[in-house]
């Protein structure tokens, strides 16, 4: 199973911040993944795509939020707008989604994901992790992060050479084959992520359950 966001340097940094309690007890992660993405292809056909923006692209960010060392317990999705009236009548799915995820250990995450919101500087967006003892501000793709906590300010550059995590993912896959072991991102985690997305869609359409 391939999920490169699991291998992103940013994911590793968030895992470290959580494990070290560098911001104290987690209150909220506000993840800004708004962008402009043109489709005009099978993604606009609900019958072919199987889902909209959340299913096609938002699942990567849901996987990241589920992989920071905390246990997702509840998830809910809201779809603020579903594109133009013509798209809706043609069966197109959502192009924007707001997802909230609660963790069993405490705290929550809020993901804002869209294909219809331009970013100011070529895809650069800011997000943050807020805790009882500090705050981690980070560029959503993982370009850089700044931490204000009990130990004073710190600056991180998680990994510019592999921002998307593809290199680490392929290295792990090759090592898994050579060592005859499961990769770090395995089938059970893939099922977890898909189930989270299915639960998110179900929460937005309670009458369909």
């Amino acid at each position: 199973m391939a999920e490169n966001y699991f291998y992103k340097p940013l994911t590793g940094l968030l895992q470290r911040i959580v494990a070290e309690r560098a911001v104290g007890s987690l209150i909220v992660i506000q993840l800004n993944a708004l962008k402009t993405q043109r489709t005009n292809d099978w993604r606009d056909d609900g019958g072919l795509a199987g889902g909209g923006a959340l299913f096609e692209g938002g699942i990567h960010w849901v996987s990241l939020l589920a992989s920071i060392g905390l246990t997702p317990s509840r998830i809910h999705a809201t779809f603020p707008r579903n594109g133009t009236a013509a798209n809706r009548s043609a069966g197109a799915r959502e192009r924007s989604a707001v997802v909230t995820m609660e963790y069993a250990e405490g705290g929550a995450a809020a993901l804002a994901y869209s294909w219809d919101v331009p970013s100011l500087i070529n895809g650069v967006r800011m997000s943050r992790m807020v805790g009882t003892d500090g705050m981690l501000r980070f560029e959503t793709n993982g370009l850089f992060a700044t931490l204000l906590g009990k130990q004073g300010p710190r600056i991180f550059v998680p990994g510019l050479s592999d921002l998307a995590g593809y290199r680490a993912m392929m290295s792990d896959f090759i090592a898994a084959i050579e060592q005859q072991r499961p990769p770090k991102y395995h089938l059970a985690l893939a099922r977890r992520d898909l189930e989270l997305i299915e639960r998110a869609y179900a929460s937005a359409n309670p009458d369909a359950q």
Side-chain angles (χ1 to χ4, degrees):
M1 303 302 298
E3 176 49 78
N4 58 295
Y5 279 42
F6 178 85
Y7 295 90
K8 283 172 68 75
L10 174 63
T11 308
L13 174 61
L14 297 181
Q15 291 172 350
R16 176 180 169 187
I17 296 299
V18 169
E20 296 178 356
R21 295 179 60 85
V23 296
S25 298
L26 177 67
I27 296 175
V28 66
I29 300 171
Q30 296 175 312
L31 187 56
N32 171 18
L34 304 175
K35 65 176 180 178
T36 299
Q37 178 168 321
R38 297 178 180 176
T39 50
N40 298 322
D41 55 19
W42 57 268
R43 294 174 179 84
D44 297 325
D45 187 330
L48 292 176
L54 178 60
F55 184 86
E56 171 62 20
I59 188 171
H60 299 296
W61 295 108
V62 169
S63 177
L64 185 151
L65 290 171
S67 302
I68 62 172
L70 298 172
T71 309
S73 58
R74 297 177 62 187
I75 189 169
H76 184 272
T78 300
F79 303 125
R81 60 188 302 270
N82 293 326
T84 66
N87 283 342
R88 289 195 298 271
S89 64
R93 301 298 297 269
E94 84 286 345
R95 293 181 58 85
S96 300
V98 177
V99 179
T100 55
M101 180 188 296
E102 298 177 27
Y103 296 106
E105 296 83 355
L111 164 67
Y113 184 78
S114 179
W115 287 345
D116 290 334
V117 182
S119 56
L120 293 178
I121 309 174
N122 195 29
V124 174
R125 301 150 295 179
M126 294 301 299
S127 299
R128 62 180 179 169
M129 173 188 283
V130 182
T132 54
D133 296 325
M135 179 188 303
L136 179 77
R137 293 182 181 273
F138 57 95
E139 195 282 316
T140 304
N141 291 310
L143 287 172
F144 60 87
T146 59
L147 173 65
L148 293 177
K150 284 186 174 181
Q151 298 180 354
R154 299 170 65 185
I155 298 176
F156 302 91
V157 181
L160 295 179
S161 63
D162 191 26
L163 279 178
Y166 287 117
R167 183 179 301 175
M169 180 179 71
M170 293 306 299
S171 295
D172 182 40
F173 282 5
I174 292 172
I177 294 170
E178 292 176 343
Q179 300 167 16
Q180 297 186 351
R181 62 163 176 81
K184 295 176 182 177
Y185 187 82
H186 47 74
L187 182 58
L189 292 179
R191 285 175 170 163
R192 175 204 65 184
D193 294 343
L194 183 56
E195 288 173 0
L196 285 170
I197 290 296
E198 290 175 342
R199 285 162 53 190
Y201 274 107
S203 73
N205 300 282
D207 293 339
Q209 298 184 47

